[in-house]
PDB file of all heavy atoms in Angstrom:
ATOM      1  N   GLY N  12      13.325   3.234   7.838  1.00  0.00           N
ATOM      2  CA  GLY N  12      14.021   4.169   6.958  1.00  0.00           C
ATOM      3  C   GLY N  12      14.070   3.685   5.523  1.00  0.00           C
ATOM      4  O   GLY N  12      13.669   2.572   5.198  1.00  0.00           O
ATOM      5  N   VAL N  13      14.568   4.545   4.660  1.00  0.00           N
ATOM      6  CA  VAL N  13      14.727   4.223   3.235  1.00  0.00           C
ATOM      7  C   VAL N  13      16.022   3.436   3.051  1.00  0.00           C
ATOM      8  O   VAL N  13      17.027   3.688   3.725  1.00  0.00           O
ATOM      9  CB  VAL N  13      14.724   5.507   2.395  1.00  0.00           C
ATOM     10  CG1 VAL N  13      15.179   5.256   0.963  1.00  0.00           C
ATOM     11  CG2 VAL N  13      13.323   6.126   2.403  1.00  0.00           C
ATOM     12  N   ASN N  14      16.003   2.484   2.136  1.00  0.00           N
ATOM     13  CA  ASN N  14      17.179   1.645   1.866  1.00  0.00           C
ATOM     14  C   ASN N  14      18.179   2.425   1.006  1.00  0.00           C
ATOM     15  O   ASN N  14      18.475   2.056  -0.138  1.00  0.00           O
ATOM     16  CB  ASN N  14      16.731   0.354   1.170  1.00  0.00           C
ATOM     17  CG  ASN N  14      17.867  -0.631   0.962  1.00  0.00           C
ATOM     18  OD1 ASN N  14      18.927  -0.538   1.592  1.00  0.00           O
ATOM     19  ND2 ASN N  14      17.658  -1.579   0.075  1.00  0.00           N
ATOM     20  N   SER N  15      18.704   3.508   1.553  1.00  0.00           N
ATOM     21  CA  SER N  15      19.520   4.438   0.772  1.00  0.00           C
ATOM     22  C   SER N  15      20.825   3.807   0.305  1.00  0.00           C
ATOM     23  O   SER N  15      21.282   4.072  -0.816  1.00  0.00           O
ATOM     24  CB  SER N  15      19.808   5.705   1.582  1.00  0.00           C
ATOM     25  OG  SER N  15      20.397   5.389   2.823  1.00  0.00           O
ATOM     26  N   ILE N  16      21.447   2.960   1.124  1.00  0.00           N
ATOM     27  CA  ILE N  16      22.702   2.331   0.718  1.00  0.00           C
ATOM     28  C   ILE N  16      22.467   1.417  -0.479  1.00  0.00           C
ATOM     29  O   ILE N  16      23.198   1.446  -1.471  1.00  0.00           O
ATOM     30  CB  ILE N  16      23.322   1.553   1.897  1.00  0.00           C
ATOM     31  CG1 ILE N  16      23.772   2.537   2.979  1.00  0.00           C
ATOM     32  CG2 ILE N  16      24.498   0.696   1.424  1.00  0.00           C
ATOM     33  CD1 ILE N  16      24.280   1.870   4.238  1.00  0.00           C
ATOM     34  N   GLY N  17      21.414   0.587  -0.398  1.00  0.00           N
ATOM     35  CA  GLY N  17      21.093  -0.292  -1.517  1.00  0.00           C
ATOM     36  C   GLY N  17      20.769   0.494  -2.781  1.00  0.00           C
ATOM     37  O   GLY N  17      21.188   0.125  -3.889  1.00  0.00           O
ATOM     38  N   LEU N  18      20.044   1.608  -2.631  1.00  0.00           N
ATOM     39  CA  LEU N  18      19.678   2.406  -3.797  1.00  0.00           C
ATOM     40  C   LEU N  18      20.912   3.060  -4.429  1.00  0.00           C
ATOM     41  O   LEU N  18      21.033   3.118  -5.659  1.00  0.00           O
ATOM     42  CB  LEU N  18      18.655   3.467  -3.399  1.00  0.00           C
ATOM     43  CG  LEU N  18      17.297   2.921  -2.925  1.00  0.00           C
ATOM     44  CD1 LEU N  18      16.396   4.073  -2.498  1.00  0.00           C
ATOM     45  CD2 LEU N  18      16.617   2.089  -3.998  1.00  0.00           C
ATOM     46  N   LYS N  19      21.841   3.544  -3.609  1.00  0.00           N
ATOM     47  CA  LYS N  19      23.083   4.113  -4.148  1.00  0.00           C
ATOM     48  C   LYS N  19      23.858   3.065  -4.936  1.00  0.00           C
ATOM     49  O   LYS N  19      24.395   3.349  -6.014  1.00  0.00           O
ATOM     50  CB  LYS N  19      23.949   4.653  -3.013  1.00  0.00           C
ATOM     51  CG  LYS N  19      23.449   5.934  -2.392  1.00  0.00           C
ATOM     52  CD  LYS N  19      24.346   6.346  -1.227  1.00  0.00           C
ATOM     53  CE  LYS N  19      23.777   7.549  -0.501  1.00  0.00           C
ATOM     54  NZ  LYS N  19      24.591   7.875   0.705  1.00  0.00           N
ATOM     55  N   ARG N  20      23.917   1.851  -4.393  1.00  0.00           N
ATOM     56  CA  ARG N  20      24.647   0.786  -5.082  1.00  0.00           C
ATOM     57  C   ARG N  20      24.035   0.472  -6.439  1.00  0.00           C
ATOM     58  O   ARG N  20      24.732   0.002  -7.347  1.00  0.00           O
ATOM     59  CB  ARG N  20      24.656  -0.476  -4.212  1.00  0.00           C
ATOM     60  CG  ARG N  20      25.545  -0.375  -2.981  1.00  0.00           C
ATOM     61  CD  ARG N  20      25.366  -1.585  -2.094  1.00  0.00           C
ATOM     62  NE  ARG N  20      26.245  -1.533  -0.921  1.00  0.00           N
ATOM     63  CZ  ARG N  20      26.125  -2.319   0.143  1.00  0.00           C
ATOM     64  NH1 ARG N  20      25.142  -3.227   0.191  1.00  0.00           N
ATOM     65  NH2 ARG N  20      26.971  -2.221   1.142  1.00  0.00           N
ATOM     66  N   ARG N  21      22.746   0.708  -6.574  1.00  0.00           N
ATOM     67  CA  ARG N  21      22.072   0.386  -7.839  1.00  0.00           C
ATOM     68  C   ARG N  21      21.939   1.590  -8.759  1.00  0.00           C
ATOM     69  O   ARG N  21      21.190   1.548  -9.727  1.00  0.00           O
ATOM     70  CB  ARG N  21      20.699  -0.221  -7.525  1.00  0.00           C
ATOM     71  CG  ARG N  21      20.842  -1.591  -6.880  1.00  0.00           C
ATOM     72  CD  ARG N  21      19.610  -2.051  -6.147  1.00  0.00           C
ATOM     73  NE  ARG N  21      19.973  -2.997  -5.100  1.00  0.00           N
ATOM     74  CZ  ARG N  21      19.324  -3.137  -3.961  1.00  0.00           C
ATOM     75  NH1 ARG N  21      18.252  -2.400  -3.717  1.00  0.00           N
ATOM     76  NH2 ARG N  21      19.731  -4.014  -3.062  1.00  0.00           N
ATOM     77  N   GLY N  22      22.625   2.669  -8.432  1.00  0.00           N
ATOM     78  CA  GLY N  22      22.696   3.795  -9.349  1.00  0.00           C
ATOM     79  C   GLY N  22      21.647   4.865  -9.178  1.00  0.00           C
ATOM     80  O   GLY N  22      21.535   5.758 -10.024  1.00  0.00           O
ATOM     81  N   PHE N  23      20.863   4.824  -8.113  1.00  0.00           N
ATOM     82  CA  PHE N  23      19.897   5.887  -7.867  1.00  0.00           C
ATOM     83  C   PHE N  23      20.640   7.177  -7.510  1.00  0.00           C
ATOM     84  O   PHE N  23      21.588   7.167  -6.726  1.00  0.00           O
ATOM     85  CB  PHE N  23      18.950   5.517  -6.726  1.00  0.00           C
ATOM     86  CG  PHE N  23      17.843   4.575  -7.117  1.00  0.00           C
ATOM     87  CD1 PHE N  23      18.115   3.252  -7.430  1.00  0.00           C
ATOM     88  CD2 PHE N  23      16.529   5.000  -7.170  1.00  0.00           C
ATOM     89  CE1 PHE N  23      17.106   2.364  -7.790  1.00  0.00           C
ATOM     90  CE2 PHE N  23      15.500   4.128  -7.528  1.00  0.00           C
ATOM     91  CZ  PHE N  23      15.797   2.817  -7.844  1.00  0.00           C
ATOM     92  N   THR N  24      20.211   8.300  -8.077  1.00  0.00           N
ATOM     93  CA  THR N  24      20.837   9.579  -7.775  1.00  0.00           C
ATOM     94  C   THR N  24      20.430  10.052  -6.376  1.00  0.00           C
ATOM     95  O   THR N  24      19.416   9.610  -5.818  1.00  0.00           O
ATOM     96  CB  THR N  24      20.421  10.636  -8.801  1.00  0.00           C
ATOM     97  OG1 THR N  24      19.000  10.865  -8.682  1.00  0.00           O
ATOM     98  CG2 THR N  24      20.754  10.184 -10.212  1.00  0.00           C
ATOM     99  N   ILE N  25      21.222  10.983  -5.839  1.00  0.00           N
ATOM    100  CA  ILE N  25      20.891  11.554  -4.533  1.00  0.00           C
ATOM    101  C   ILE N  25      19.530  12.247  -4.575  1.00  0.00           C
ATOM    102  O   ILE N  25      18.734  12.144  -3.633  1.00  0.00           O
ATOM    103  CB  ILE N  25      21.987  12.548  -4.092  1.00  0.00           C
ATOM    104  CG1 ILE N  25      23.325  11.812  -3.892  1.00  0.00           C
ATOM    105  CG2 ILE N  25      21.582  13.263  -2.809  1.00  0.00           C
ATOM    106  CD1 ILE N  25      23.305  10.739  -2.832  1.00  0.00           C
ATOM    107  N   ASP N  26      19.237  12.932  -5.674  1.00  0.00           N
ATOM    108  CA  ASP N  26      17.933  13.607  -5.797  1.00  0.00           C
ATOM    109  C   ASP N  26      16.780  12.606  -5.739  1.00  0.00           C
ATOM    110  O   ASP N  26      15.752  12.864  -5.078  1.00  0.00           O
ATOM    111  CB  ASP N  26      17.867  14.394  -7.109  1.00  0.00           C
ATOM    112  CG  ASP N  26      18.722  15.654  -7.078  1.00  0.00           C
ATOM    113  OD1 ASP N  26      19.111  16.076  -5.970  1.00  0.00           O
ATOM    114  OD2 ASP N  26      19.010  16.200  -8.157  1.00  0.00           O
ATOM    115  N   LYS N  27      16.932  11.451  -6.434  1.00  0.00           N
ATOM    116  CA  LYS N  27      15.865  10.450  -6.390  1.00  0.00           C
ATOM    117  C   LYS N  27      15.702   9.870  -4.989  1.00  0.00           C
ATOM    118  O   LYS N  27      14.582   9.652  -4.520  1.00  0.00           O
ATOM    119  CB  LYS N  27      16.166   9.320  -7.383  1.00  0.00           C
ATOM    120  CG  LYS N  27      15.692   9.598  -8.796  1.00  0.00           C
ATOM    121  CD  LYS N  27      15.684   8.337  -9.647  1.00  0.00           C
ATOM    122  CE  LYS N  27      15.080   8.629 -11.007  1.00  0.00           C
ATOM    123  NZ  LYS N  27      15.021   7.429 -11.860  1.00  0.00           N
ATOM    124  N   ILE N  28      16.840   9.616  -4.335  1.00  0.00           N
ATOM    125  CA  ILE N  28      16.765   9.059  -2.973  1.00  0.00           C
ATOM    126  C   ILE N  28      16.096  10.058  -2.030  1.00  0.00           C
ATOM    127  O   ILE N  28      15.246   9.691  -1.205  1.00  0.00           O
ATOM    128  CB  ILE N  28      18.170   8.657  -2.485  1.00  0.00           C
ATOM    129  CG1 ILE N  28      18.700   7.497  -3.335  1.00  0.00           C
ATOM    130  CG2 ILE N  28      18.133   8.266  -1.010  1.00  0.00           C
ATOM    131  CD1 ILE N  28      20.155   7.156  -3.087  1.00  0.00           C
ATOM    132  N   ASN N  29      16.437  11.332  -2.149  1.00  0.00           N
ATOM    133  CA  ASN N  29      15.801  12.345  -1.303  1.00  0.00           C
ATOM    134  C   ASN N  29      14.309  12.474  -1.606  1.00  0.00           C
ATOM    135  O   ASN N  29      13.492  12.700  -0.701  1.00  0.00           O
ATOM    136  CB  ASN N  29      16.497  13.691  -1.486  1.00  0.00           C
ATOM    137  CG  ASN N  29      17.841  13.744  -0.785  1.00  0.00           C
ATOM    138  OD1 ASN N  29      18.049  13.058   0.220  1.00  0.00           O
ATOM    139  ND2 ASN N  29      18.761  14.544  -1.302  1.00  0.00           N
ATOM    140  N   HIS N  30      13.940  12.323  -2.874  1.00  0.00           N
ATOM    141  CA  HIS N  30      12.522  12.332  -3.248  1.00  0.00           C
ATOM    142  C   HIS N  30      11.790  11.176  -2.560  1.00  0.00           C
ATOM    143  O   HIS N  30      10.699  11.366  -2.007  1.00  0.00           O
ATOM    144  CB  HIS N  30      12.418  12.217  -4.764  1.00  0.00           C
ATOM    145  CG  HIS N  30      11.029  12.058  -5.285  1.00  0.00           C
ATOM    146  ND1 HIS N  30      10.032  12.993  -5.092  1.00  0.00           N
ATOM    147  CD2 HIS N  30      10.466  11.058  -6.026  1.00  0.00           C
ATOM    148  CE1 HIS N  30       8.922  12.576  -5.676  1.00  0.00           C
ATOM    149  NE2 HIS N  30       9.164  11.415  -6.246  1.00  0.00           N
ATOM    150  N   ILE N  31      12.386   9.978  -2.573  1.00  0.00           N
ATOM    151  CA  ILE N  31      11.791   8.814  -1.898  1.00  0.00           C
ATOM    152  C   ILE N  31      11.707   9.060  -0.399  1.00  0.00           C
ATOM    153  O   ILE N  31      10.693   8.729   0.249  1.00  0.00           O
ATOM    154  CB  ILE N  31      12.600   7.542  -2.225  1.00  0.00           C
ATOM    155  CG1 ILE N  31      12.462   7.197  -3.716  1.00  0.00           C
ATOM    156  CG2 ILE N  31      12.150   6.365  -1.370  1.00  0.00           C
ATOM    157  CD1 ILE N  31      13.456   6.163  -4.217  1.00  0.00           C
ATOM    158  N   LEU N  32      12.752   9.671   0.183  1.00  0.00           N
ATOM    159  CA  LEU N  32      12.728  10.012   1.613  1.00  0.00           C
ATOM    160  C   LEU N  32      11.563  10.937   1.939  1.00  0.00           C
ATOM    161  O   LEU N  32      10.852  10.747   2.939  1.00  0.00           O
ATOM    162  CB  LEU N  32      14.050  10.661   2.013  1.00  0.00           C
ATOM    163  CG  LEU N  32      15.223   9.731   2.302  1.00  0.00           C
ATOM    164  CD1 LEU N  32      16.527  10.516   2.329  1.00  0.00           C
ATOM    165  CD2 LEU N  32      15.015   9.004   3.630  1.00  0.00           C
ATOM    166  N   ASP N  33      11.337  11.947   1.106  1.00  0.00           N
ATOM    167  CA  ASP N  33      10.229  12.880   1.342  1.00  0.00           C
ATOM    168  C   ASP N  33       8.883  12.160   1.293  1.00  0.00           C
ATOM    169  O   ASP N  33       7.983  12.452   2.089  1.00  0.00           O
ATOM    170  CB  ASP N  33      10.257  13.999   0.298  1.00  0.00           C
ATOM    171  CG  ASP N  33      11.394  14.987   0.524  1.00  0.00           C
ATOM    172  OD1 ASP N  33      11.924  15.035   1.652  1.00  0.00           O
ATOM    173  OD2 ASP N  33      11.754  15.694  -0.442  1.00  0.00           O
ATOM    174  N   ILE N  34       8.756  11.206   0.364  1.00  0.00           N
ATOM    175  CA  ILE N  34       7.512  10.441   0.276  1.00  0.00           C
ATOM    176  C   ILE N  34       7.265   9.677   1.569  1.00  0.00           C
ATOM    177  O   ILE N  34       6.154   9.709   2.132  1.00  0.00           O
ATOM    178  CB  ILE N  34       7.569   9.484  -0.934  1.00  0.00           C
ATOM    179  CG1 ILE N  34       7.498  10.263  -2.243  1.00  0.00           C
ATOM    180  CG2 ILE N  34       6.431   8.458  -0.864  1.00  0.00           C
ATOM    181  CD1 ILE N  34       7.789   9.434  -3.482  1.00  0.00           C
ATOM    182  N   TYR N  35       8.287   8.998   2.058  1.00  0.00           N
ATOM    183  CA  TYR N  35       8.082   8.184   3.254  1.00  0.00           C
ATOM    184  C   TYR N  35       7.990   9.021   4.526  1.00  0.00           C
ATOM    185  O   TYR N  35       7.346   8.594   5.501  1.00  0.00           O
ATOM    186  CB  TYR N  35       9.167   7.107   3.352  1.00  0.00           C
ATOM    187  CG  TYR N  35       8.831   5.942   2.443  1.00  0.00           C
ATOM    188  CD1 TYR N  35       9.572   5.687   1.294  1.00  0.00           C
ATOM    189  CD2 TYR N  35       7.735   5.130   2.704  1.00  0.00           C
ATOM    190  CE1 TYR N  35       9.239   4.643   0.438  1.00  0.00           C
ATOM    191  CE2 TYR N  35       7.384   4.098   1.857  1.00  0.00           C
ATOM    192  CZ  TYR N  35       8.137   3.851   0.731  1.00  0.00           C
ATOM    193  OH  TYR N  35       7.791   2.829  -0.106  1.00  0.00           O
ATOM    194  N   ARG N  36       8.562  10.228   4.533  1.00  0.00           N
ATOM    195  CA  ARG N  36       8.314  11.133   5.671  1.00  0.00           C
ATOM    196  C   ARG N  36       6.835  11.490   5.748  1.00  0.00           C
ATOM    197  O   ARG N  36       6.255  11.579   6.839  1.00  0.00           O
ATOM    198  CB  ARG N  36       9.169  12.396   5.531  1.00  0.00           C
ATOM    199  CG  ARG N  36      10.656  12.176   5.774  1.00  0.00           C
ATOM    200  CD  ARG N  36      11.394  13.511   5.837  1.00  0.00           C
ATOM    201  NE  ARG N  36      12.826  13.283   5.963  1.00  0.00           N
ATOM    202  CZ  ARG N  36      13.707  13.527   5.003  1.00  0.00           C
ATOM    203  NH1 ARG N  36      13.301  14.008   3.825  1.00  0.00           N
ATOM    204  NH2 ARG N  36      14.991  13.299   5.182  1.00  0.00           N
ATOM    205  N   THR N  37       6.226  11.680   4.587  1.00  0.00           N
ATOM    206  CA  THR N  37       4.790  11.980   4.551  1.00  0.00           C
ATOM    207  C   THR N  37       3.966  10.794   5.039  1.00  0.00           C
ATOM    208  O   THR N  37       2.999  10.955   5.797  1.00  0.00           O
ATOM    209  CB  THR N  37       4.364  12.369   3.124  1.00  0.00           C
ATOM    210  OG1 THR N  37       5.091  13.529   2.727  1.00  0.00           O
ATOM    211  CG2 THR N  37       2.873  12.637   3.044  1.00  0.00           C
ATOM    212  N   ILE N  38       4.366   9.602   4.636  1.00  0.00           N
ATOM    213  CA  ILE N  38       3.598   8.405   5.011  1.00  0.00           C
ATOM    214  C   ILE N  38       3.751   8.087   6.495  1.00  0.00           C
ATOM    215  O   ILE N  38       2.769   7.744   7.180  1.00  0.00           O
ATOM    216  CB  ILE N  38       4.039   7.198   4.157  1.00  0.00           C
ATOM    217  CG1 ILE N  38       3.670   7.421   2.687  1.00  0.00           C
ATOM    218  CG2 ILE N  38       3.421   5.900   4.672  1.00  0.00           C
ATOM    219  CD1 ILE N  38       4.271   6.403   1.735  1.00  0.00           C
ATOM    220  N   TYR N  39       4.974   8.216   7.013  1.00  0.00           N
ATOM    221  CA  TYR N  39       5.259   7.672   8.348  1.00  0.00           C
ATOM    222  C   TYR N  39       5.533   8.708   9.438  1.00  0.00           C
ATOM    223  O   TYR N  39       5.436   8.378  10.616  1.00  0.00           O
ATOM    224  CB  TYR N  39       6.468   6.736   8.262  1.00  0.00           C
ATOM    225  CG  TYR N  39       6.151   5.399   7.628  1.00  0.00           C
ATOM    226  CD1 TYR N  39       6.704   5.038   6.412  1.00  0.00           C
ATOM    227  CD2 TYR N  39       5.291   4.491   8.247  1.00  0.00           C
ATOM    228  CE1 TYR N  39       6.420   3.802   5.827  1.00  0.00           C
ATOM    229  CE2 TYR N  39       5.000   3.265   7.681  1.00  0.00           C
ATOM    230  CZ  TYR N  39       5.568   2.922   6.466  1.00  0.00           C
ATOM    231  OH  TYR N  39       5.274   1.709   5.899  1.00  0.00           O
ATOM    232  N   ASN N  40       5.886   9.950   9.089  1.00  0.00           N
ATOM    233  CA  ASN N  40       6.372  10.874  10.120  1.00  0.00           C
ATOM    234  C   ASN N  40       5.427  12.025  10.452  1.00  0.00           C
ATOM    235  O   ASN N  40       5.750  12.852  11.294  1.00  0.00           O
ATOM    236  CB  ASN N  40       7.719  11.478   9.688  1.00  0.00           C
ATOM    237  CG  ASN N  40       8.836  10.453   9.656  1.00  0.00           C
ATOM    238  OD1 ASN N  40       8.612   9.276   9.904  1.00  0.00           O
ATOM    239  ND2 ASN N  40      10.036  10.903   9.348  1.00  0.00           N
ATOM    240  N   LYS N  41       4.291  12.115   9.786  1.00  0.00           N
ATOM    241  CA  LYS N  41       3.440  13.292   9.958  1.00  0.00           C
ATOM    242  C   LYS N  41       2.134  12.996  10.687  1.00  0.00           C
ATOM    243  O   LYS N  41       1.227  13.832  10.694  1.00  0.00           O
ATOM    244  CB  LYS N  41       3.169  13.937   8.595  1.00  0.00           C
ATOM    245  CG  LYS N  41       4.433  14.484   7.955  1.00  0.00           C
ATOM    246  CD  LYS N  41       4.143  15.358   6.756  1.00  0.00           C
ATOM    247  CE  LYS N  41       5.427  16.001   6.237  1.00  0.00           C
ATOM    248  NZ  LYS N  41       5.173  16.875   5.073  1.00  0.00           N
ATOM    249  N   GLY N  42       2.032  11.804  11.260  1.00  0.00           N
ATOM    250  CA  GLY N  42       0.840  11.480  12.041  1.00  0.00           C
ATOM    251  C   GLY N  42      -0.404  11.255  11.216  1.00  0.00           C
ATOM    252  O   GLY N  42      -1.528  11.332  11.741  1.00  0.00           O
ATOM    253  N   LEU N  43      -0.240  10.970   9.931  1.00  0.00           N
ATOM    254  CA  LEU N  43      -1.384  10.737   9.061  1.00  0.00           C
ATOM    255  C   LEU N  43      -1.721   9.253   8.991  1.00  0.00           C
ATOM    256  O   LEU N  43      -0.836   8.408   9.155  1.00  0.00           O
ATOM    257  CB  LEU N  43      -1.063  11.226   7.646  1.00  0.00           C
ATOM    258  CG  LEU N  43      -0.623  12.682   7.490  1.00  0.00           C
ATOM    259  CD1 LEU N  43      -0.112  12.922   6.078  1.00  0.00           C
ATOM    260  CD2 LEU N  43      -1.774  13.633   7.819  1.00  0.00           C
ATOM    261  N   ASN N  44      -2.979   8.932   8.736  1.00  0.00           N
ATOM    262  CA  ASN N  44      -3.265   7.544   8.401  1.00  0.00           C
ATOM    263  C   ASN N  44      -2.876   7.304   6.945  1.00  0.00           C
ATOM    264  O   ASN N  44      -2.600   8.248   6.190  1.00  0.00           O
ATOM    265  CB  ASN N  44      -4.724   7.162   8.698  1.00  0.00           C
ATOM    266  CG  ASN N  44      -5.726   7.898   7.843  1.00  0.00           C
ATOM    267  OD1 ASN N  44      -5.498   8.160   6.658  1.00  0.00           O
ATOM    268  ND2 ASN N  44      -6.870   8.238   8.433  1.00  0.00           N
TER     269      ASN N  44
END
């Protein structure tokens, strides 16, 4: 998963964290190489 707690502590916005989540869903959750 994404290090969302650490990112919140360092001032990342919810929108940025969700953007990072979407990136890693593409990398890891869609069956792609």
